[in-house]
Amino acid sequence: METLNPSCPTRPSLDPDQLAAVTTDARRALVLAGAGSGKTRVLTERIASLIEQCHASPSEIVAVTFTRKAAGEMRERLVARIGSAAYRVTMGTMHALALHQLQRFGELIGLRPGQITVYSEWEEDFLLRTVATEVGALKGKTWKTPKKAVDKAFSDFYATGIEPAEFDPAFNLFNAFMGRCRENNALTYGGILTGFMLLLPLVKQYLGWRHVLVDEVQDLDRLQWGLLESMARDLPATLFAVGDTSQAIYQWRGAAPEYLLENADTFHVLRLERNYRSGVGIVESANRLIEHNLMRLPVTMQACRKASTRIGRAPGMDSARTAQCVGLTIAEGSAPRDIAVLARKHALLGRVADELDALGVPYLYVGRKAALTNSEEFRRFHAFLKLVVNPRDNFAFMLIKDAIGLSPEEYSAVRALAVQLDIGHLEAWLANSGDGRHSLFFAGIDGPDADAFDVAATLDDLLCSGQDNPPHPAFVFIEEWSQGAPMGHESVSAYLDWLSTYDVQDEIPPSDSEGPGVVTLATIHGAKGLEWPCVILAGCNEGILPSERAVRSGDIEEERRLAYVAITRARDVLLMAVRPERSEKPGHDGQMRLYESPVSRFVAEAWL
C-alpha cells in the first residue's frame, strides 16, 4: 500500500491505538472507532500531526463531518491545539463544503455563482407538482406518471448521481424539473452533491486539497463515497476515514454502510476500542446488544472508566411517569443539563414535553425549531430573502406574488414579459411596476451584491416595505443566527447557505458548565454524537423500538444499531423505560380496543 512520509511523534497522552491512528503512514486509512473512543480527538491530532510533523499546509487539509455542530467542536479543539492556523483548514459537512464550491465555481456547470438558492424538501415537492401538472404527469390529485416511479427516480439520483434512463416512466418529468431548477439558478438539497459531482473534475486544480479526513463514514451514501474516492484519486489526496458500522442509523435515507464491508480490504484498518465515556455496565450492555448484528465490522468496546454505573429497566413508564422520573432525578441532586430523554419518534417526545410542562421542569426539545422552517409563513418570509440573493428564482417569486398583491392576470403578464425579455419574474415585475411598497425593498438589490446586505438590516427594510406583522418566530430565528454569525459574515447569502444545510443539532446551544441548564429531549437520530451523565431511553417496546415497520419486515439490524447508539450516549446512568404493555384505546369505529406492546427484544439482549 502506498504510504505517506514516515510517522511522526505526537502528544504522549494518546493511548496506543489512538497514537497508531494519528501517525499512520497509510494513504488510505479506515479507523473503526467505537462509541466514546476519542475519535474527535484523533481527528484533531491527525490534522495537527499533518501540519506540524508532516509539513502539510493547513489549506491542503479538508475535514468532513456529519453535522455542523461536530465541525464546530473540532474547529474549537484545533484552534486550542495549533492556534490560528486552524482557520485555514477547510471543515464542514459534505453538503456545506459542496455548496461553498458551487457558489465559487458554479458557472462551470451552468449556474450563476454566488446567487444559487437551495430548495427545501417542501419547496422541491411543491415545484415538482407544479412542473408535473404543466407536463401532464399530474392531473388534479391523480398522478398519470406513477408516483412511486417518480420518487424512485429522484431518490436514486440523489443517492448515486445516476439520472433515470430514457425508458424510465419518470424520465420526462425528471428532466423538466431539473430544467426548471437550472432556469431558476437553484438546487434542491439533494442536488447540491450531484452538482458538486459534476463540478469536482473541473475545479480539482483550484482546490489544492491533499489530505481528506472524514468522520461518521458509516452514514455516507454511495454518491458521497464516490465523491471521496474521486478526491483521493484525482486530486490526489490521502483518505483518513473514521466510523463504526455498529452506529450506522441512516440507511432509511440512502446511507450505505455496506460500502465499508465491501471495500474494507482497500484500506489500512485500525481500531479504537477503548471507551472513555461510559461506565463498565453500560459498555457491557451495549456490547451484548450489538453482538446480535451480523452486518458489521466488529469493534468490541473496553470500558476504561471503572466507576459503578446504574442501569435500570422500568415497566409501565408512560409519558407521565417518565416525566416524573426526570423530576425525581433532579430532586435527588442531578442538574437538568445532565439528563436526556431519548426516543425513537417525536410523537412520544411531544407527550413527555407536555408532562414536563405540567411539572414545571425546564427542557430543550431538539427538533422543535425545525418544524418552524416548514411553516407557510417561514417559507414566504424567506422567499423575499432568496430573491435578494437570486433575482432569477422564479419559484421564490411565485411564493410572494400574493403578498405583493399580484392578481392572476398581472402574474401572467409578468411571466409573459419575462419570457419575452429573457429575464426573471422579479426583474419583469420591477420593470413593469416601477412603484409599490415592495418594489422599494428590491430596488437596487442585485444578486452579486447580496454580501453587502446585512441580514438584520435587510429584514428591517423588508418590514418597512409592508410586512407590518411578520411571522415573529421566523424573525427571532433569523436574529438568533445573526447574533451568532462570525463578524463580517452576517450577509443574506451567508444566512441562506447556512439555512440550506440546517440540522436539528444546530438547535443545541454550546454546552454551559455553569448553572443547572435544562433537560434535553431528542430523538435518537438527533442525539447522534452527543452524551449525557443520565439517559432515559423511552419507549423500549416492540413496535416502537424496533419500529412496527421493522418488526413486520424482519429488518431489525438498523433498529438494533439505533438502540446501541442510544445506550452509548449514557455516561453513568441508563434507564430503559418500557411503556405499558397493554392499553385500551378507541378504534376507528369509536369502540375501545386492547392494544399490546411487549417489551422490546433489545432490553433482553442488552441485559445480563
Side-chain angles (χ1 to χ4, degrees), residues 535-587:
V535 168
I536 299 173
L537 179 54
C540 292
N541 299 71
E542 293 288 303
I544 302 176
L545 182 67
S547 69
E548 186 176 348
R549 177 204 57 77
V551 171
R552 285 199 308 267
S553 66
D555 184 16
I556 298 296
E557 289 214 354
E558 182 161 3
E559 295 290 301
R560 186 177 286 112
R561 293 194 294 268
L562 199 59
Y564 176 82
V565 167
I567 289 172
T568 55
R569 299 311 94 198
R571 293 207 295 263
D572 306 308
V573 179
L574 171 68
L575 179 65
M576 302 183 80
V578 182
R579 293 184 66 78
E581 296 179 54
R582 293 178 178 82
S583 60
E584 280 194 335
K585 298 178 183 178

Side-chain angles (χ1 to χ4, degrees), residues 13-76:
S13 54
L14 295 171
D15 71 37
D17 294 335
Q18 292 172 338
L19 181 62
V22 167
T23 61
T24 182
D25 58 3
R27 291 192 63 83
R28 290 174 61 85
L30 172 60
V31 182
L32 297 174
S37 61
K39 63 184 179 65
T40 303
R41 185 169 185 212
V42 165
L43 284 161
T44 303
E45 287 295 330
R46 175 68 173 179
I47 295 171
S49 179
L50 288 171
I51 294 169
E52 296 176 344
Q53 306 297 335
C54 301
H55 310 296
S57 167
S59 62
E60 293 178 331
I61 301 171
V62 58
V64 183
T65 61
F66 191 68
T67 65
R68 185 161 26 221
K69 186 175 179 65
E73 179 184 349
M74 192 184 304
R75 179 82 72 186
E76 288 178 6

